[in-house]
């Protein structure tokens, strides 16, 4: 069973919609289906009333109808076919979810030589997991990523304005016009998101001090992540890779061309959106960001040297 680790501003929303369409096409039951519930009863009960996040003005999640149910709904769809698992489920419950995913996975419409695999959204597949799982991770060129992350969450105060006061009072938004975050200060606080998320069991850790995940610790932390992804046989793709969908098909056991032929999804759909950048960074700012984002850049270039070699944001080989 594959677990998609969702990292903001990497094209994860497009992937979410892609896998929702995929799972629906195959006939995977939605997470409110009685058959799903029957397989989890008695193994996923948690009496803690605070176990599930509840919908507020700044969150995308809410409590689901059944007590102890391990799934959380999203603002996009109450009971998606692309299951979304809470981060605090017990190991026994996680075993039950994984077993249920395989048991109820239909896998219809495939040639004999292809066996599509279930995929769900969860950060709980780690090298320490007892369940048989692999991660699917989509990365993005780190300088481009932090630029998008800064503009979306800080300059534009999107996602409920959670970085503009309600949840985290970063120096963002109108009230901080005189002392607003710069992209460099934002990168020091919230950069190296790939390394942080994948190093700490799938849960973002931060903000850190400026030196926590920059040099001289960049190689140490990034290498830990690289080693765990490769040793675990995880599926790592890049938003900028024109062959991204083909690689995902290979990982998940879908027939070649499945996403284009059956679902009408094109690999260029998200990539084209990246061309509409709002402001070009000057070379001095780029150099500073490369230094700050050393961990994520090293991680990205280790998996995608062909993209780094052709890109303008490639980290100079100083590490």
């Amino acid at each position: 069973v594959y677990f998609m680790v969702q990292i903001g501003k990497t094209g994860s929303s497009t992937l979410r919609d892609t896998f929702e369409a995929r799972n629906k096409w195959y006939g995977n039951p939605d997470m409110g289906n009685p058959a799903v519930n029957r397989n989890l009863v008695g193994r996923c009960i948690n009496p803690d009333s605070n176990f599930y996040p509840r919908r507020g003005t700044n969150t995308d999640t809410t409590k689901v109808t059944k007590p102890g149910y391990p799934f959380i709904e999203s603002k996009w769809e109450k009971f998606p076919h692309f299951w979304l698992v809470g981060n605090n489920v017990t190991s026994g419950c996680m075993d039950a979810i994984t077993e249920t995913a395989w048991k109820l996975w239909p896998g219809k419409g495939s040639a004999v030589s292809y066996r599509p695999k279930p995929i769900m959204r969860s950060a709980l597949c780690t090298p320490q997991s007892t369940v048989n799982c692999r991660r699917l991770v989509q990365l993005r060129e780190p300088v481009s990523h932090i630029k998008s992350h800064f503009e979306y969450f800080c300059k534009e105060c999107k996602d409920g304005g959670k970085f503009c006061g309600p949840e985290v009072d970063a120096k963002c938004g109108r009230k901080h016009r005189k002392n607003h975050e710069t992209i460099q200060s934002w990168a020091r606080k919230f950069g190296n998101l790939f390394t942080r998320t994948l190093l700490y069991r799938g849960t973002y850790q931060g903000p850190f001090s400026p030196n926590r995940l920059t040099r001289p610790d960049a190689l140490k932390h990034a290498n830990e992540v690289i080693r765990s992804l490769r040793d675990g046989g995880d599926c790592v793709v890049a938003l900028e890779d024109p062959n991204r969908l083909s690689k995902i098909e290979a990982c998940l056991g879908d027939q070649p061309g499945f996403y284009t032929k059956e679902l009408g999804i094109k690999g260029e759909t998200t990539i084209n959106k990246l061309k509409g950048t709002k402001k070009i960074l000057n070379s001095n700012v780029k150099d500073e960001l490369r230094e700050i984002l050393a961990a994520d850049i090293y991680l990205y270039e280790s998996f995608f040297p062909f993209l780094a070699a052709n890109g303008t944001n490639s980290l100079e080989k100083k590490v």
Side-chain angles (χ1 to χ4, degrees), residues 24-60:
K24 189 178 293 186
W25 188 90
Y26 281 122
N28 188 55
D30 66 58
M31 63 187 201
N33 190 291
V36 178
N37 186 50
R38 283 195 299 271
N39 281 274
L40 301 180
V41 167
R43 300 180 68 182
C44 287
I45 299 299
N46 191 310
D48 183 359
S49 61
N50 297 317
F51 182 65
Y52 296 100
R54 299 173 184 272
R55 187 182 300 279
T57 56
N58 306 300
T59 63
D60 293 336

Side-chain angles (χ1 to χ4, degrees), residues 294-314:
D296 270 7
I297 292 174
Y298 181 69
L299 169 61
Y300 180 89
E301 294 193 352
S302 294
F303 281 97
F304 310 107
F306 59 96
L307 293 175
N310 295 327
T312 58
N313 293 321
S314 178

Side-chain angles (χ1 to χ4, degrees), residues 163 168 186 188-191 196 204-210 212:
F163 287 100
V168 179
W186 185 262
R188 291 188 183 99
K189 290 180 179 179
F190 302 104
R196 294 183 184 192
Y204 166 71
Q205 301 291 320
F208 288 155
S209 64
R212 182 66 180 274

Side-chain angles (χ1 to χ4, degrees), residues 52 104 110 176 231 296 319:
Y52 296 100
L104 300 181
S110 297
H176 290 290
D231 290 350
D296 270 7
V319 293

Side-chain angles (χ1 to χ4, degrees), residues 151-266:
E151 290 174 348
Y152 185 82
F153 290 110
C154 188
K155 290 184 70 175
E156 299 175 8
C157 285
K158 294 293 184 67
D159 199 19
K162 65 182 181 181
F163 287 100
C164 299
E167 293 184 30
V168 179
D169 190 11
K171 295 177 182 178
C172 301
R174 295 180 179 178
K175 71 176 182 178
H176 290 290
R177 284 192 296 267
K178 295 183 178 179
N179 62 339
H180 200 280
E181 297 276 5
T182 64
I183 190 171
Q184 298 98 312
S185 66
W186 185 262
R188 291 188 183 99
K189 290 180 179 179
F190 302 104
N192 293 306
L193 190 56
F194 310 146
T195 304
R196 294 183 184 192
T197 300
L198 298 170
L199 181 66
Y200 292 92
R201 301 189 179 187
T203 303
Y204 166 71
Q205 301 291 320
F208 288 155
S209 64
N211 295 325
R212 182 66 180 274
L213 279 176
T214 55
R215 291 186 175 93
D217 295 323
L219 285 177
K220 173 187 173 184
H221 293 303
N223 274 322
E224 287 182 50
V225 173
I226 293 166
R227 187 164 52 251
S228 70
L229 289 170
R230 287 178 173 162
D231 290 350
D234 296 320
C235 186
V236 184
V237 297
L239 179 63
E240 298 85 358
D241 188 354
N243 298 314
R244 175 175 57 102
L245 289 182
S246 297
K247 292 179 179 178
I248 293 174
E249 288 165 349
C251 290
L252 297 184
D254 299 312
Q255 293 187 59
F258 169 79
Y259 293 103
T260 300
K261 296 175 184 176
E262 301 295 344
L263 303 182
I265 296 171
K266 297 181 180 179

